[in-house]
Amino acid sequence: MENPENKFNGSLAKKYEARFKKYGATPKGSYWINAARQKLRFQILLQETIRIQKQGSFSIGDIGCGYGALAHYINKTVHAKSVSYYGYDISGTLISYCRQSSKFDWATFKIGSQPHIKIDFCLISGTYNMSASQNVDEWEDHIFKNLSECWLNTKKAIVFNLQIDEVARISPENIFYGNKASILRRCNLNFGPTSSAGHISLPQDTTFVIRRK
């Protein structure tokens, strides 16, 4: 019997590669609605990271890096001077593209779904939105399995975002919406102190911050 994780990853890799082939290195090529919403999510992730880091150099693992949009966003900020960035994706096609197009001396790209070394922060933007299942519990278990794998090599915090709704659901287009209170409870139980942040321009989006004690 096929491992569900292998089935999910194989299915998602094919889906994202087909999307990338159709739309290229654009927000639409990674299922984002538009560039403004994509950048706002990046801004929130980095704000929460810097709130913890405050100053000095730090390392980031970008889980589900896609075509490298977060690395290009960081390159336009002051943080490019102090960050060691590692981008991870389950798609070999996307990682190959990142290696060719992102010539930053502070950035490394690898195939995978969790850090291969100890890093300060895991940032996960939109990675869990596209579900490979129509079963809410099954997909949420997959999310927390991946968070647990990332947590093993995270020194300071995991910062990730999810679409949220009053009742957890998966849309006909396979978009996962989690229940905010339920996700917070599960994070606190499995990992430790977890907070959340929102933005008026992203009413159905929540950023969760899991900190090491």
Side-chain angles (χ1 to χ4, degrees):
M1 188 173 179
E2 186 178 12
N3 184 311
E5 297 303 307
N6 294 338
K7 181 180 71 173
F8 287 166
N9 287 347
S11 169
L12 288 170
K14 288 177 182 176
K15 191 173 287 189
Y16 278 104
E17 286 169 2
R19 184 83 173 184
F20 179 73
K21 185 176 181 180
K22 185 174 182 179
Y23 295 107
T26 64
K28 198 171 183 179
S30 284
Y31 290 97
W32 293 101
I33 293 174
N34 56 49
R37 290 167 67 89
Q38 182 191 49
K39 288 179 180 177
L40 182 52
R41 286 182 173 89
F42 291 163
Q43 179 186 324
I44 295 167
L45 290 178
L46 281 177
Q47 280 177 347
E48 296 302 319
T49 300
I50 299 305
R51 197 189 308 277
I52 298 169
Q53 178 63 26
K54 295 185 172 61
Q55 60 184 2
S57 59
F58 60 100
S59 54
I60 282 174
D62 179 10
I63 310 302
C65 66
Y67 62 86
L70 178 58
H72 286 275
Y73 177 84
I74 291 171
N75 192 51
K76 296 176 182 177
T77 72
V78 296
H79 308 304
K81 299 175 182 177
S82 53
V83 72
S84 295
Y85 167 99
Y86 299 89
Y88 300 91
D89 203 277
I90 56 175
S91 166
T93 298
L94 289 167
I95 290 298
S96 294
Y97 175 82
C98 289
R99 288 171 176 166
Q100 293 167 12
S101 65
S102 307
K103 303 296 185 182
F104 311 130
D105 58 7
W106 42 266
T108 302
F109 294 92
K110 295 181 74 70
I111 297 172
S113 58
Q114 68 266 343
H116 71 297
I117 56 172
K118 292 282 185 181
I119 56 169
D120 294 315
F121 299 93
C122 268
L123 304 189
I124 309 173
S125 184
T127 302
Y128 303 136
N129 287 350
M130 177 60 70
S131 174
S133 170
Q134 272 292 318
N135 183 303
V136 169
D137 292 337
E138 186 178 42
W139 186 247
E140 195 170 298
D141 285 347
H142 168 77
I143 291 172
F144 275 88
K145 183 177 186 298
N146 183 242
L147 287 171
S148 296
E149 291 166 347
C150 292
W151 190 240
L152 293 174
N153 273 335
T154 300
K155 294 191 285 186
K156 295 184 179 179
I158 292 178
V159 187
F160 71 101
N161 54 39
L162 284 178
Q163 299 278 80
I164 57 166
D165 209 342
E166 290 296 316
V167 177
R169 64 185 176 91
I170 296 170
S171 75
E173 296 77 32
N174 282 87
I175 303 301
F176 172 75
Y177 293 81
N179 173 269
K180 181 179 173 181
S182 175
I183 297 294
L184 279 170
R185 255 194 320 272
R186 195 163 175 178
C187 285
N188 276 288
L189 182 65
N190 289 329
F191 307 114
T194 304
S195 60
S196 64
H199 194 283
I200 193 169
S201 297
L202 299 169
Q204 279 197 293
D205 208 85
T206 293
T207 297
F208 298 89
V209 184
I210 309 170
R211 295 186 64 165
R212 285 280 182 197
K213 294 180 182 178

